[in-house]
Amino acid sequence: MASKVTVGIPMDTILTKSVSVLGAALLLGVNVISAAREESKAPDDARLTWRQSIDRPMIAKQGQSEKVVIKIEIEGGKVPSGDRMPLNLAVVLDRSGSMSGAKLEQAKQAAMLLVDQLDEEDVFSLVVYETEVEVVFPAARLGNRKSEIKRCIRQIETGGSTALYGGVESGGRQLQEFLSKNRINRVMLLSDGIANVGPSSNREIATLGTTLARKGMSVTTIGLGDDYNETLMTALAEASDANYYYVADVEKLPDVFRKELGELKAIVARDIEIRIECPEGVRPLRFLGRPEELKSKKESIRFATLSSEQTRELYLECEIEKEAVGKISEIAIVSISSDTDADKGSAPVVVGYTEDVKIAESTVNRDVMAEAIVWRNAMETERSVALADQGNIAASRANFASQKAALQSALAAAPAAQKEELADQIQSVEEAEAGLGSDGLSKQARKKLTNETYQFRNSKK
């Protein structure tokens, strides 16, 4: 059973409600409390649409509490050709000694490629850092300055240590010069090393990311090679709901810059808030794959941006308490809003009940169930990595084995559409388990796993 609400500009949707739970089941005497579906037609200029579904739309009453997973999926509409918000972009490049040679040359080539793809109304700035931080090109509208900017980029040379905090902070100050709700305000950070000048802890740098996010800026991080701190880089990106890239091969840098710019140019909605409210008798447990702690029956998640034809997903695990099973059909209300006041919509999440376990099993949404297992696996991967970091190799290995068993069990019953993803996850876990030595995970293996779990947590498809 799925609910679909379309949100667009202008908001001219008409919501209709109808009972729609398994008419055949009613003929079999199933005790259905109620169920509802809300639908609307997408206007031609819809900026985003959203859908919700549940893994177990029919619950068997067995005298115990029951867990269900709610899937919320939002999708960006198509952007008309030439219709995009101007960018306010600050590129922050690491030019410390470790970047010498091919790394810096490829970074410079990628930065010049990015400049070539910007428009005259876009704002651009360039910051480089090593022991000191230097603003190579202050924030300014691009105009006809592409040649001038590229000349500045060509002249960049390597220096000393890694003042990463200062580099990002300076990038934020450049964005501040042209900060506007009518622009996409983004820092793009590239580094191949460990922050060792100025504030350098994961907490301090993640706090900087949060501070910038509160002002309307975000930080995409690009980790190059195997010697940077991936925990720091993911924390910085996640603080503002931006992107994180692990680039093992320096030759791939231009592709990463191109991908990032393509997403920024295609943004159709910002400041998206997903609100979920559960009634008494239903307890929200956790968002799968996300770090947020649930503290009440009213919870919300914010996505900073949504690009054209991009899909983002959220999975909420809830518990229907024992006393509420068979009595509460509307287990949650989901509401969506974005940066345009007209972009609003809400719909209930409903379940039905039956005394027959087989009927309940026949209604299971196996797509959502398989997807939820993949998201749980991402959470368990983080746990396995943390155990390895602590030196508890035996526990890490045991957790990897448990992950593999759960994925293999899910694979057998999964729909065809999910089998490939589950198989890929099994392979990834097997590779990690095989690469787990007495000293823990190798740098490359740890970065690969961190990258995979980050992409799941911040699901952008």
Side-chain angles (χ1 to χ4, degrees):
M1 181 189 311
S3 297
K4 178 173 181 178
V5 174
T6 299
V7 184
I9 307 172
M11 182 63 172
D12 60 357
T13 57
I14 299 175
L15 300 180
T16 60
K17 182 176 289 187
S18 62
V19 174
S20 61
V21 174
L22 302 174
L26 288 171
L27 295 175
L28 293 172
V30 178
N31 177 18
V32 179
I33 297 296
S34 70
R37 177 178 61 200
E38 297 204 13
E39 298 182 344
S40 61
K41 182 180 179 182
D44 293 338
D45 60 351
R47 291 285 176 163
L48 67 85
T49 59
W50 63 278
R51 296 165 291 277
Q52 62 190 45
S53 50
I54 189 168
D55 65 339
R56 299 171 61 205
M58 187 69 70
I59 305 295
K61 294 190 292 184
Q62 302 181 79
Q64 61 188 27
S65 62
E66 299 289 345
K67 291 181 181 179
V68 296
V69 174
I70 301 168
K71 175 185 177 182
I72 302 162
E73 183 179 19
I74 62 173
E75 183 176 354
K78 267 196 171 184
V79 176
S81 179
D83 180 18
R84 72 167 178 89
M85 296 186 72
L87 304 180
N88 179 15
L89 191 61
V91 173
V92 179
L93 290 182
D94 180 350
R95 68 178 187 99
S96 60
S98 60
M99 283 287 291
S100 63
K103 287 182 181 178
L104 185 59
E105 287 308 310
Q106 284 293 334
K108 288 158 66 173
Q109 289 296 322
M112 287 188 285
L113 174 67
L114 182 146
V115 169
D116 279 334
Q117 295 178 8
L118 296 176
D119 295 340
E120 290 184 359
E121 290 303 309
D122 292 325
V123 174
F124 180 84
S125 56
L126 176 63
V127 175
V128 296
Y129 67 93
E130 29 95 27
T131 306
E132 302 294 333
V133 177
E134 178 186 358
V135 179
V136 175
F137 191 87
R141 287 186 178 86
L142 201 63
N144 60 357
R145 301 181 179 184
K146 288 186 179 182
S147 296
E148 179 186 352
I149 294 172
K150 289 192 287 185
R151 186 166 57 251
C152 293
I153 293 172
R154 290 190 191 96
Q155 294 172 352
I156 296 172
E157 296 179 353
T158 53
S161 299
T162 309
L164 187 149
Y165 185 101
V168 175
E169 188 176 45
S170 181
R173 283 198 294 268
Q174 293 304 308
L175 292 185
Q176 193 80 40
E177 293 296 316
F178 287 83
L179 189 66
S180 169
K181 290 184 178 180
N182 296 320
R183 293 190 180 93
I184 307 298
N185 308 289
R186 179 72 58 98
V187 172
M188 282 181 64
L189 166 71
L190 183 145
S191 180
D192 78 329
I194 305 295
N196 52 25
V197 175
S200 57
S201 71
N202 295 347
R203 180 184 58 79
E204 289 172 314
I205 293 177
T207 299
L208 174 60
T210 302
T211 300
L212 293 175
R214 287 172 181 164
K215 295 177 180 179
M217 301 175 249
S218 54
V219 185
T220 282
T221 61
I222 304 169
L224 181 59
D226 293 327
D227 292 323
Y228 68 91
N229 182 340
E230 63 270 23
T231 302
L232 180 153
M233 296 287 264
T234 54
L236 181 54
E238 195 163 41
S240 57
D241 189 42
N243 295 320
Y244 158 70
Y245 301 93
Y246 163 44
V247 184
D249 181 1
V250 68
E251 299 290 334
K252 301 293 185 183
L253 266 179
D255 293 337
V256 169
F257 274 64
R258 191 179 296 110
K259 180 179 179 181
E260 177 71 6
L261 184 59
E263 181 177 313
L264 293 177
K265 282 185 171 184
I267 287 174
V268 294
R270 296 186 297 175
D271 300 329
I272 302 147
E273 183 178 17
I274 302 171
R275 298 178 301 279
I276 304 173
E277 182 175 355
C278 295
E280 289 299 322
V282 180
R283 186 162 59 100
L285 300 176
R286 57 180 177 172
F287 288 108
L288 300 183
R290 298 187 64 92
E292 290 87 355
E293 292 185 12
L294 304 190
K295 299 177 180 179
S296 72
K297 293 184 180 294
K298 294 181 180 180
E299 297 292 342
S300 66
I301 292 290
R302 291 182 180 272
F303 290 150
T305 62
L306 180 69
S307 293
S308 175
E309 300 183 272
Q310 183 183 73
T311 299
R312 305 198 67 179
E313 298 172 352
L314 188 64
Y315 294 79
L316 176 66
E317 186 176 55
C318 297
E319 181 180 53
I320 306 173
E321 296 171 352
K322 177 180 176 181
E323 296 75 14
V325 172
K327 298 176 182 178
I328 295 178
S329 60
E330 190 172 289
I331 63 170
I333 295 288
V334 178
S335 304
I336 308 285
S337 64
S338 70
D339 55 337
T340 302
D341 287 341
D343 289 356
K344 293 182 180 178
S346 64
V349 180
V350 295
V351 296
Y353 299 93
T354 176
E355 303 285 352
D356 193 320
V357 173
K358 289 184 178 180
I359 290 177
E361 290 178 351
S362 72
T363 68
V364 166
N365 186 328
R366 301 200 179 278
D367 288 344
V368 176
M369 190 166 282
E371 291 160 1
I373 288 170
V374 173
W375 280 67
R376 289 191 183 98
N377 181 65
M379 297 168 65
E380 287 303 315
T381 295
E382 289 187 327
R383 182 166 178 265
S384 295
V385 169
L387 288 168
D389 289 347
Q390 295 163 13
N392 196 340
I393 307 304
S396 178
R397 195 177 299 280
N399 206 56
F400 276 130
S402 177
Q403 288 178 244
K404 181 179 174 181
L407 290 167
Q408 288 174 329
S409 176
L411 180 63
Q418 276 71 42
K419 284 187 180 295
E420 183 177 354
E421 180 62 50
L422 286 164
D424 288 344
Q425 291 293 310
I426 291 170
Q427 181 179 346
S428 178
V429 171
E430 287 176 340
E431 290 174 355
E433 191 177 10
L436 186 60
S438 58
D439 295 330
L441 291 163
S442 68
K443 290 181 179 179
Q444 188 174 36
R446 194 185 190 285
K447 284 173 172 59
K448 183 175 182 293
L449 288 172
T450 300
N451 182 60
E452 289 175 355
T453 54
Y454 185 90
Q455 303 314 322
F456 270 106
R457 287 201 313 271
N458 296 276
S459 178
K460 294 182 179 181
K461 299 180 180 179

